[in-house]
Amino acid sequence: MELLESRLAQLARTGDRQAFRELVDLYKNKIYHLAYRMLGNVHEAEDVVQETFLRVYMNLVRYDPAQKFSTWIYRIGTNLCIDYLRKRKRKMSLDANVFDSEGTDGYNLLPAGEEELPEIQLVISETKRQVHEAIDRLPDQYKTIVILRYLHDMSLQEISEVLDMPVTTIKTRLHRGREYLRRRMDQDL
């Protein structure tokens, strides 16, 4: 997969629009899910996806083929999400609830426009809801790392590269984030 992505990125750098479309197809849902989890808002997540691919396209000449393409694009998407969160903090009080335009909490399993099957709805348990609420309450410095690690299954090294932080910092924040979640879940039980 890495070889394919690297090749597509190289072709896109030379102006191959089909190669760029394939990169978009490979990553649009992944970036959408990342943004949706971090922001909890459909419209902001869609904006982040568009802005991510715009930045990728504009900066393909700066992409280093020695680096994993996935790390590069996740860094762009994550940084955009962090920017949205910073802007939002200026506008909202700390205790405000964040709901998307449909009044949901921002933790649907399927992308916008796809309906959940009744069987899937039954599988979503009260515990899962509590975990999502606890993740929503995580401080941003822990929330991003927890989402990348557990919801996007990234390694500590990959998270380190995406966030441009030392692995030791990632480990510390992940540990503190898990402790926060554990305490929060204990309180809710």
Side-chain angles (χ1 to χ4, degrees), residues 101-117:
S101 62
E102 293 142 14
T104 63
D105 67 357
Y107 281 110
N108 292 325
L109 294 176
L110 300 173
E114 294 185 29
E115 293 182 15
E116 292 182 357
L117 300 172

Side-chain angles (χ1 to χ4, degrees), residues 36-37 39-42 98-100 103-108 132 136:
Y36 194 58
R37 293 285 184 185
L39 302 171
N41 181 290
V42 172
V98 178
F99 290 94
D100 64 20
T104 63
D105 67 357
Y107 281 110
N108 292 325
H132 286 186
D136 279 342

Side-chain angles (χ1 to χ4, degrees), residues 9 27-28 55 66 75 86 93 107 109 128 133 140 183:
Y27 281 98
K28 66 182 176 188
R55 289 191 183 186
R75 177 180 290 162
R86 285 181 185 142
S93 68
Y107 281 110
L109 294 176
K128 191 169 193 172
E133 286 177 2
D140 290 341
R183 285 192 308 272

Side-chain angles (χ1 to χ4, degrees), residues 51-143:
E51 182 67 22
T52 297
F53 286 107
L54 178 62
R55 289 191 183 186
V56 166
Y57 186 77
M58 300 301 287
N59 293 295
L60 271 172
V61 294
R62 294 184 181 153
Y63 168 65
D64 177 8
Q67 182 184 15
K68 286 175 61 174
F69 184 81
S70 60
T71 301
W72 187 62
I73 194 168
Y74 269 106
R75 177 180 290 162
I76 293 168
T78 300
N79 286 340
L80 285 168
C81 289
I82 290 168
D83 289 345
Y84 268 82
L85 290 170
R86 285 181 185 142
K87 288 177 191 172
R88 186 187 294 165
K89 276 189 176 178
R90 285 184 231 135
K91 295 178 184 176
M92 297 175 60
S93 68
L94 291 175
D95 59 349
N97 289 327
V98 178
F99 290 94
D100 64 20
S101 62
E102 293 142 14
T104 63
D105 67 357
Y107 281 110
N108 292 325
L109 294 176
L110 300 173
E114 294 185 29
E115 293 182 15
E116 292 182 357
L117 300 172
E119 300 85 37
I120 293 175
Q121 290 176 350
L122 291 175
V123 172
I124 299 172
S125 67
E126 180 66 18
T127 303
K128 191 169 193 172
R129 183 189 61 77
Q130 289 174 342
V131 168
H132 286 186
E133 286 177 2
I135 289 172
D136 279 342
R137 293 184 188 125
L138 275 172
D140 290 341
Q141 64 186 13
Y142 306 140
K143 183 178 183 179

